[in-house]
């Protein structure tokens, strides 16, 4: 019901919309300007500016896009509630304003409406000759509201107060929205070992395997969020192969293998490396992060001159602290098509010695059979699980991808219009990809005097005439698209 209940003031009627006629984004053919925020029971205005005499529609939806319709990108969600709020022929001025009375109903509150204008042309694909930019309007129900539009116009809206600038990590070159700063990425290669490289097939074993690899902090230039990993084929050559399930877990470890030799040429501390029991190598009390979940397929192409090949895309990130060792735990399940064809580049840190272990492993084989549940293997039993040496001093050369995924922006203290407000909610129109979270605190004065601690609950600021919010942006580390806030409404009574 929602938008179906909107009472159209300027619109000539409600048209039934097909998917073909209902979605598009910013071709530059027209510009749409809408009220950034509106209270239930009040009027939402949407002004379309386009070519004079052009046939047009202005659409509103409770869902957001984008959706591709022919050559056009639509900013609406094309939900069952998409409605026409303006239609007709643009006048000679090229400007049309639709006014829509928003029903004073609880179901309308705390929603973001998406709006867009379409220019109609029967000769164009899908009957759409062009589209406007997308616009958003936040609907709220509180008696008062602090509205932030991030374009300098916020103080013109009801009961706003804007004091001081925003601070923190955000893209200051962008206006009209508060946007996370561009994703910062860097790569760390574990190539400190000078010894001649050799090739090793574990963990991509044709009968399945579990292997653990420890990388002390000396391999890294500090900590950060790990978003992906690559492996280095020996000699730059790869062979076509397939594995139906690869799982990767990352955690911290207190294990730091001691690679020193005593005067007799023996390891100073041969037990300083990984323990043969897999769980014993994880930092006490830590639960490993499953960055690549079980059931993730891995396809390896034929190749020559290949520097690096990626492991499967991370579904979770890992925050490495930069001081402990990094423990990489890999479980591989093979099938009848899987081969033991590809060798990883590996460097032995102590030539001629298997200890202290830098990696441990159990692999399936013709004697022990295939491994179907790698993480059920609790003890490293070596090749074909025959109880030989379960590991060595080898470091599998790996490229770790890091990024600053999470950034924060801090608002100034915003003043309410009354001395003791009851803050009800914060509603944001959000665009881009990734995640946006908020924390709030209240204060007695605009300089932060008497400030409360930050809390995810806006209720922490109740009774305080000034409120400050922190925005925590989490960027899409795969596509690198930053999230942004178009409009924020803090409603209060």
């Amino acid at each position: 019901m929602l938008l179906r209940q909107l009472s159209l003031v300027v619109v000539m009627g409600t048209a039934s919309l097909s998917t073909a006629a209902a979605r598009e984004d910013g071709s530059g053919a027209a510009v749409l300007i809408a009220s950034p925020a509106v209270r239930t029971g009040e009027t939402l205005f949407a002004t379309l500016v386009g070519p004079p005499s052009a046939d047009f529609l202005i659409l509103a939806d409770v869902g957001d896009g984008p959706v591709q319709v022919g050559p056009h990108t639509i900013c609406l969600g094309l939900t069952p509630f998409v409605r026409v709020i303006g239609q007709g022929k643009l006048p000679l001025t090229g400007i049309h304003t639709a006014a829509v009375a928003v029903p004073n109903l609880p179901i309308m509150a705390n929603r973001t409406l998406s709006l867009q204008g379409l220019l109609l042309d029967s000769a164009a694909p899908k009957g759409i000759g062009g589209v406007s930019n997308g616009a958003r309007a936040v609907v709220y129900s509180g008696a008062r509201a602090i509205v932030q539009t991030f374009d300098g116009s916020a103080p013109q809206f009801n009961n706003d107060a804007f004091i001081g600038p925003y601070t923190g990590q955000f893209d200051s070159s962008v206006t009209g929205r508060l946007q996370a700063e561009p994703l910062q990425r860097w790569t760390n290669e574990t190539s400190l070992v000078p010894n001649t490289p050799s090739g090793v097939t574990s963990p991509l074993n044709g009968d399945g395997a579990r292997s653990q690899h420890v990388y002390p902090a000396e391999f890294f230039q500090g900590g950060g969020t790990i978003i992906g990993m690559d492996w280095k084929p020996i000699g730059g050559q790869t062979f076509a192969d397939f594995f139906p399930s690869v799982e990767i877990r990352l955690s911290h470890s207190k294990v730091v293998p001691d690679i020193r030799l005593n005067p007799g040429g023996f390891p100073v501390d041969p037990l300083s490396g990984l323990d043969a029991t897999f769980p014993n190598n994880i930092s006490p009390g830590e639960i490993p992060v499953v960055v690549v979940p079980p059931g993730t397929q891995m396809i390896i192409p034929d190749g020559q001159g290949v520097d690096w090949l990626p492991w499967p895309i991370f579904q979770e990130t890992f925050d490495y602290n930069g001081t402990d060792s990094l423990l990489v735990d890999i479980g591989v399940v093979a099938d009848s098509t899987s081969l033991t064809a590809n060798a990883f580049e590996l460097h032995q840190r102590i030539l001629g010695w298997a200890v202290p272990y830098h990696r441990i492993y159990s692999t399936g084989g013709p004697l022990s059979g295939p491994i179907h549940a790698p993480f059920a293997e609790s003890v490293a039993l070596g090749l074909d699980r025959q109880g030989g040496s379960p590991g060595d001093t080898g470091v599998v050369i790996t490229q770790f991808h890091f990024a600053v995924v999470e950034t924060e922006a801090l608002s100034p203290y915003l003043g309410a219009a009354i001395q003791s407000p009851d803050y009800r909610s914060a509603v944001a129109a959000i665009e881009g990809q990734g995640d946006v979270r908020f924390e709030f605190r209240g204060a007695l004065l605009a300089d932060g005097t008497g400030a409360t601690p930050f809390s995810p609950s806006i209720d922490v600021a109740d009774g305080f005439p000034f409120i400050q919010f922190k925005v925590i942006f989490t960027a899409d580390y795969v596509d690198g698209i930053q999230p942004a806030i178009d409009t924020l409404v803090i409603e209060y009574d």
Side-chain angles (χ1 to χ4, degrees), residues 74-448:
I74 302 296
C75 296
L76 315 178
L78 296 182
T79 73
F81 305 109
V82 65
R83 290 294 178 268
V84 175
I85 64 168
Q87 67 178 18
K89 192 180 291 288
L90 287 174
L92 294 179
T93 60
I95 301 173
H96 175 89
T97 298
V100 180
V102 179
N104 190 12
L105 298 173
I107 196 172
M108 289 300 301
N110 298 340
R111 291 189 176 274
T112 299
L113 303 182
S114 297
L115 303 99
Q116 191 168 24
L118 309 185
L119 300 182
L120 307 181
D121 182 350
S122 59
K126 305 295 184 181
I128 302 171
V131 296
S132 76
N133 58 292
R136 293 176 181 83
V138 174
V139 181
Y140 64 96
S141 61
R144 297 177 175 85
I146 297 171
V147 179
Q148 294 293 284
T149 58
F150 311 106
D151 62 0
S153 65
Q156 301 171 17
F157 290 93
N158 50 323
N159 302 312
D160 270 355
F162 182 88
I163 301 171
Y166 281 76
T167 57
Q169 300 162 297
F170 61 94
D171 194 338
S172 58
S173 68
V174 174
T175 58
R177 60 188 182 275
L178 184 63
Q179 180 171 297
E181 64 182 6
L183 195 64
Q184 300 177 40
R185 303 174 185 264
W186 69 96
T187 298
N188 197 117
E189 180 183 331
T190 59
S191 57
L192 299 183
V193 185
N195 295 329
T196 303
S198 58
V200 59
T201 54
S202 172
L204 292 183
N205 183 280
D207 290 296
R210 180 182 181 181
S211 62
Q212 266 186 357
H213 310 260
V214 67
Y215 297 92
E218 65 178 305
F219 282 86
F220 301 94
Q221 287 76 53
T225 301
I226 300 175
I227 63 171
M229 288 167 39
D230 300 335
W231 58 278
K232 191 173 184 64
I234 186 74
Q237 185 169 13
T238 60
F239 302 91
D241 209 348
F242 170 78
F243 292 87
S245 178
V246 170
E247 179 178 356
I248 300 177
R249 302 178 183 183
L250 300 184
S251 62
H252 295 98
S253 177
K254 299 301 181 183
V255 174
V256 182
D258 189 339
I259 62 172
R260 295 175 300 164
L261 299 177
N262 63 27
F266 293 89
V268 168
D269 189 354
L271 299 181
S272 61
L274 293 170
D275 189 89
T277 300
F278 290 112
N280 291 352
N281 300 312
I282 302 166
S283 285
E286 183 168 336
I287 299 174
V289 176
V290 180
V291 294
V292 176
T296 302
Q297 296 181 346
M298 186 165 179
I299 301 172
I300 303 171
D302 274 315
Q304 297 282 345
V306 179
D307 286 334
W308 298 98
L309 272 183
W311 286 99
I313 293 174
F314 278 20
Q315 301 303 306
E316 298 288 342
T317 60
F318 180 76
D319 291 326
Y320 173 56
N321 63 19
T323 54
D324 289 329
S325 297
L326 175 68
L327 189 67
V328 179
D329 207 338
I330 302 172
V332 173
V333 177
D335 66 12
S336 59
T337 67
S338 302
L339 307 172
T340 306
N342 287 279
F344 291 45
E345 185 171 313
L346 174 137
H347 291 202
Q348 296 289 347
R349 296 202 78 187
I350 308 178
L351 291 176
W353 290 96
V355 290
Y357 295 138
H358 286 63
R359 68 177 187 125
I360 56 172
Y361 49 85
S362 280
T363 72
L367 298 178
S368 66
I371 290 178
H372 298 295
F375 285 91
E377 304 284 321
S378 59
V379 177
L381 298 175
L383 293 173
D384 204 358
R385 292 177 289 186
Q386 293 305 297
S389 176
D392 53 33
T393 67
V395 174
V396 172
I397 304 305
T398 302
Q399 192 167 251
F400 293 94
H401 298 287
F402 287 79
V404 178
V405 175
E406 191 170 281
T407 56
E408 296 181 356
L410 188 65
S411 79
Y413 281 96
L414 305 171
I418 56 178
Q419 191 61 29
S420 185
D422 177 11
Y423 297 102
R424 296 176 52 179
S425 67
V427 188
I430 296 172
E431 58 184 43
Q433 295 182 24
D435 183 57
V436 177
R437 307 192 314 276
F438 294 92
E439 293 183 2
F440 306 89
R441 67 179 174 185
L444 296 172
L445 300 175
D447 61 2

